[in-house]
Amino acid sequence: MTTKHTPTVLLSSDTLSGYGLDHIFEVAKTIGFDGIDLATWKNYDAWNQKYVTKLSKTHNLPVRVIQVSSNLNTKEMEQAFDLCDDLDVKTISINAPSTFNFTSFNFITTNLQHYHKQKIQKNFAIINPEQKSIIWLIPKYRFANIVDIIKKYNTQLALDISNLDEELLETHFFRRAEQFVPYISVVYISDRTRSGKGHVPPGEGVLKIPQLLQHFEENNYTGYYSLKIDINKKDLADVDKVELILSKSLSYIKEQFTKINIQEE
């Protein structure tokens, strides 16, 4: 009984908000991540294609995902395409616009269809936003419904598990994992505390991450796993503390995979 493949675990660069891009690559390589999920809006350097390519080669660490902002527009998407071409990246994950950001919402829903018709060979994946009670006010301008992301907008899902309601995750997603997995390109891993604080290091909250990973592996998920956590400014100022947090997070994720048993056919 073994897992069918070796999972690829990335570091989402917005985890190290405020760090220079070179430092982010260095830390990710030191800790042992398999690649970078590049949150382009967090670093001006991220738009410098030659510089990012140089960093990737210098640190021998590939960029696997280009992650664009929640204020997406034509210019940012074109820059993302250029980065994808230079770095040989196939997946673009899109942070869902805030509730009242109609401009970016309309850009995404209109242009993704256009890109599909143009046969642009990219995996566009929308990151499900944090679920909030305000959602019922203007449900049209949200991407909170993960079924709609896949079916209504004909795109992939970048599943941020910390943004899902715990009950929804356990009672609905787990049961229907087989149906969802083929449409998921990236799984953003973090935890959520009982009090509702999200994006804490995995294993420090209440989400059933081991069971979630088991479901993904049982259903032959071959996309990326990306660590996306919030680290407070005080801890970010202490490089040793940051490396400890990241090391423990990555070790926790890898440990869960060692416990997963898949019956080979």
Side-chain angles (χ1 to χ4, degrees):
M1 290 180 129
T2 58
T3 54
K4 292 187 178 182
H5 80 291
T6 301
T8 301
V9 184
L10 312 177
L11 175 63
S12 180
S13 64
D14 58 341
T15 292
L16 299 180
S17 182
Y19 276 35
L21 205 54
D22 188 15
H23 195 184
I24 291 174
F25 271 82
E26 180 182 6
V27 170
K29 183 65 176 181
T30 298
I31 299 302
F33 287 93
D34 299 311
I36 295 291
D37 175 347
L38 188 61
T40 52
W41 76 98
K42 288 291 185 177
N43 300 85
Y44 289 116
D45 289 346
W47 294 121
N48 187 327
Q49 297 154 237
K50 291 182 179 179
Y51 181 58
V52 177
T53 301
K54 177 183 176 183
L55 290 179
S56 181
K57 291 180 179 178
T58 298
H59 296 284
N60 191 26
L61 195 65
V63 175
R64 297 298 191 191
V65 177
I66 298 297
Q67 185 187 149
V68 294
S69 77
S70 59
N71 294 309
L72 187 61
N73 54 31
T74 300
K75 180 180 179 181
E76 185 175 358
M77 185 61 89
E78 288 178 350
Q79 290 174 319
F81 286 157
D82 290 340
L83 280 170
C84 285
D85 290 342
D86 280 12
L87 298 164
D88 192 27
V89 174
K90 299 294 189 295
T91 301
I92 297 177
S93 66
I94 303 169
N95 281 277
S98 59
T99 304
F100 296 101
N101 188 346
F102 306 142
T103 300
S104 290
F105 177 90
N106 289 328
F107 172 83
I108 293 168
T109 55
T110 300
N111 284 276
L112 288 189
Q113 298 300 322
H114 178 64
Y115 299 142
H116 285 308
K117 290 178 181 178
Q118 286 186 312
K119 299 188 183 303
I120 292 177
Q121 301 299 309
K122 297 290 183 291
N123 295 323
F124 298 102
I126 296 175
I127 303 173
N128 54 295
E130 182 181 2
Q131 295 183 331
K132 297 179 180 179
S133 58
I134 196 174
I135 186 174
W136 65 270
L137 293 175
I138 46 172
K140 176 182 177 182
Y141 297 99
R142 290 284 287 178
F143 288 107
N145 189 316
I146 59 177
V147 175
D148 279 353
I149 289 175
I150 295 168
K151 291 188 174 181
K152 184 176 181 179
Y153 302 111
N154 190 30
T155 188
Q156 295 275 297
L157 172 67
L159 183 69
D160 188 330
I161 63 174
S162 182
N163 285 342
L164 283 181
D165 176 81
E166 185 180 355
E167 182 179 355
L168 175 65
L169 179 67
E170 296 177 13
T171 62
H172 297 288
F173 187 86
F174 282 4
R175 293 178 185 176
R176 301 172 62 188
E178 183 179 3
Q179 300 173 42
F180 282 112
V181 165
Y183 301 98
I184 297 175
S185 294
V186 187
V187 179
Y188 285 100
I189 297 183
S190 64
D191 216 328
R192 192 173 66 249
T193 65
R194 193 170 300 280
S195 64
K197 181 182 178 182
H199 296 103
V200 299
E204 296 186 7
V206 297
L207 296 182
K208 294 182 178 179
I209 295 175
Q211 292 91 326
L212 176 76
L213 298 180
Q214 175 79 36
H215 281 294
F216 272 94
E217 294 303 295
E218 285 179 347
N219 289 285
N220 302 310
Y221 175 70
T222 58
Y224 302 114
Y225 295 97
S226 183
L227 180 71
K228 188 182 181 78
I229 59 177
D230 290 335
I231 302 178
N232 63 52
K233 291 183 178 180
K234 181 179 179 180
D235 287 338
L236 283 171
D238 185 339
V239 177
D240 291 336
K241 182 70 174 292
V242 167
E243 291 188 356
L244 178 61
I245 293 171
L246 295 181
S247 181
K248 287 177 63 177
S249 296
L250 183 59
S251 294
Y252 174 87
I253 294 170
K254 289 187 173 182
E255 181 182 353
Q256 304 317 310
F257 284 116
T258 66
K259 298 177 181 179
I260 294 173
N261 289 315
I262 307 295
Q263 181 68 53
E264 297 285 3
E265 296 180 358

